[in-house]
Amino acid sequence: MATAAAGALGLLWGWLWSERFWLPQNVSWADFEGQGDGYGYPRARDILSVFPLAAGVFSVRLLFERFIAKPCALHVGIQDSGPYQAQPNAILEKVFMSITKYPDEKRLEGLSKQLDWDVRKIQCWFRHRRNQDKPPTLTKFCESMWRFTFYLCIFCYGIRFLWSSPWFWDTRQCWHSYPYQPLTSGLYYYYIMELAFYWSLMFSQFTDIKRKDFLIMFVHHLATIGLITFSYINNMVRVGTLVLCLHDVSDFLLEAAKLANYAKYQRLCDTLFVIFSAVFVVTRLGIYPFWETGHQFREQTPRFPNPKYCSAFCLTSPDLLWIFEGPHFPCTVFLIQYDVDREYKLYRSQDVRLPRSGMVIHKLPQDGHTVVFKIQFM
């Protein structure tokens, strides 16, 4: 039985890492064992170094939020206190937990008679109880400040590194002598740090305040980690660095707008969000699909006619364009709608998330005349 299981596992492993699928013709995994120059060629075992580094990044985040982000939040006037606690009431708590968090007029009248409370008092109780489950502004400010700091630093590092890289100016260099492209120290650290950061986000999801988009973000982080990992093992790191840098350029702008929003610097928030909207549209709907991905596919495909290998190319690089590019369109529509009509104020939702690959939009009717759009970016 053990022999049969080992044989089946070996077949599965061989199928998963099939050289015909992942590599060009006449190239094998053994070819990557040579040292080459610099850091040698990417190897699967290099990924193991990411896990202790991710734990280190997570530890740095905890220290950063406590000793840097929290004092900054207090300095700009964000209070170190949770939301107002609703008055304990077993009947209302049961309705809130098992029936509805937004009782209609009929239910409010029934509860008013049952408790001998005024309807307005019951409405206030439900509002306070809903706010009680929301993460404090201080916590969200610290989280956004950490992400803003990392995205800004990694973007500056990426630009500094890519500025002196030939493939930044001529994308054909991404495939020059491929796959025999040895790693440089700058490229290795750039890729590994990005991967470690996303693994740290995976860790922090289970310790942070649970949000409604927990599952969506969990799947998004898994997909991002998978793409970075497979593109590294497949030595498509040159293309990968361009994709990573292109996505990071708008991320820190959104986090900066969120910081200004939490601190109630409304004019600064408006300005940053308009800049973010413009950068997002240009990079995600312009540079990314037409320059980055389109050129890469046209330049790479004629070099490697093996159709099975081309499927690996589409899987790992560049960033599953037509799966992740699709959600950029509705996001862009709402960004433009905001810029045209300020009264929508989409970005002011306390649940705005980073739009690396799409978003979830909730339409919340407030009364008979007002509609608020609550957006959650994936």
Side-chain angles (χ1 to χ4, degrees):
M1 181 67 69
T3 304
L9 185 62
L11 289 175
L12 177 62
W13 188 257
W15 173 82
L16 179 63
W17 296 107
S18 172
E19 294 173 349
R20 294 184 60 190
F21 182 81
W22 290 106
L23 300 175
Q25 291 177 328
N26 302 320
V27 178
S28 66
W29 293 116
D31 295 332
F32 291 96
E33 293 299 322
Q35 282 298 319
D37 300 324
Y39 277 61
Y41 300 115
R43 302 179 183 86
R45 61 175 174 267
D46 295 344
I47 301 300
L48 296 177
S49 64
V50 167
F51 297 106
L53 186 58
V57 170
F58 182 62
S59 300
V60 170
R61 174 197 167 175
L62 297 178
L63 296 174
F64 178 89
E65 290 184 353
R66 180 174 180 178
F67 296 106
I68 298 178
K70 186 176 180 179
C72 289
L74 297 176
H75 181 72
V76 297
I78 297 177
Q79 298 298 319
D80 186 11
S81 60
Y84 179 83
Q85 299 293 314
Q87 177 183 346
N89 187 291
I91 295 176
L92 295 180
E93 185 69 23
K94 183 178 180 180
V95 173
F96 182 86
M97 296 299 296
S98 59
I99 300 178
T100 179
K101 297 181 180 180
Y102 297 88
D104 55 21
E105 185 176 351
K106 183 178 180 181
R107 189 175 298 279
L108 287 172
E109 291 177 355
L111 291 171
S112 176
K113 294 178 181 178
Q114 183 178 358
L115 297 172
D116 195 23
W117 281 16
D118 183 74
V119 171
R120 184 171 181 81
K121 183 178 180 180
I122 298 176
Q123 290 177 324
C124 290
W125 188 95
F126 274 92
R127 183 173 67 254
H128 292 153
R129 183 63 181 85
R130 288 192 298 269
N131 292 336
Q132 191 175 313
D133 289 342
K134 293 180 180 180
T137 302
L138 179 65
T139 301
K140 293 185 288 187
F141 182 93
C142 293
E143 177 185 331
S144 290
M145 188 169 181
W146 162 249
R147 297 193 182 206
F148 165 78
T149 303
F150 179 85
Y151 287 134
L152 179 61
C153 291
I154 201 68
F155 172 71
C156 292
Y157 176 85
I159 283 293
R160 181 177 178 276
F161 165 72
L162 289 173
W163 195 265
S164 59
S165 301
W167 61 88
F168 183 72
W169 307 102
D170 182 5
T171 56
R172 290 174 297 182
Q173 293 295 321
C174 290
W175 308 110
H176 180 70
S177 301
Y178 180 83
Y180 305 108
Q181 298 172 339
L183 289 171
T184 62
S185 60
L187 196 156
Y188 173 81
Y189 290 128
Y190 185 32
Y191 232 73
I192 293 300
M193 279 303 300
E194 287 272 14
L195 186 56
F197 175 72
Y198 280 101
W199 271 114
S200 73
L201 292 183
M202 291 286 290
F203 300 152
S204 64
Q205 271 203 306
F206 297 96
T207 59
D208 291 343
I209 297 174
K210 296 296 185 292
R211 299 177 183 269
K212 293 181 180 179
D213 61 347
F214 174 85
L215 182 60
I216 295 172
M217 295 306 298
F218 181 78
V219 173
H220 170 259
H221 294 333
L222 278 180
T224 304
I225 288 170
L227 288 167
I228 296 176
T229 300
F230 283 120
S231 62
Y232 178 84
I233 295 173
N234 210 30
N235 203 15
M236 291 184 174
V237 290
R238 292 187 177 183
V239 179
T241 55
L242 297 178
V243 174
L244 289 171
C245 187
L246 200 59
H247 281 72
D248 289 338
V249 65
S250 60
D251 290 343
F252 74 86
L253 291 171
L254 179 59
E255 296 299 335
K258 290 165 65 177
L259 290 174
N261 182 38
Y262 297 146
K264 301 188 184 304
Y265 295 157
Q266 206 55 59
R267 181 170 295 182
L268 177 61
C269 182
D270 291 344
T271 302
L272 288 171
F273 192 82
V274 170
I275 296 173
F276 158 74
S277 302
V279 173
F280 182 91
V281 172
V282 171
T283 55
R284 303 295 176 91
L285 297 184
I287 298 176
Y288 180 54
F290 296 108
W291 176 75
E292 171 65 33
T293 304
H295 283 193
Q296 295 295 342
F297 190 82
R298 287 192 297 270
E299 293 162 3
Q300 190 265 6
T301 301
R303 295 170 178 264
F304 311 112
N306 182 359
K308 292 185 177 180
Y309 173 68
C310 287
S311 63
F313 167 77
C314 294
L315 175 64
T316 59
S317 177
D319 205 21
L320 289 177
L321 171 66
W322 296 114
I323 292 179
F324 285 131
E325 180 67 16
H328 290 166
F329 289 96
C331 183
T332 302
V333 170
F334 276 84
L335 293 178
I336 296 175
Q337 187 176 11
Y338 161 78
D339 290 330
V340 173
D341 188 357
R342 290 293 184 89
E343 68 184 11
Y344 278 97
K345 303 184 188 299
L346 298 180
Y347 64 98
R348 294 178 187 171
S349 168
Q350 297 298 308
D351 293 322
V352 171
R353 301 292 291 179
L354 180 64
R356 290 193 72 87
S357 63
M359 66 180 178
V360 177
I361 304 169
H362 300 279
K363 186 177 180 181
L364 304 177
Q366 299 295 305
D367 52 47
H369 305 285
T370 305
V371 174
V372 175
F373 288 93
K374 177 183 174 184
I375 62 176
Q376 291 180 324
F377 291 108
M378 294 170 56

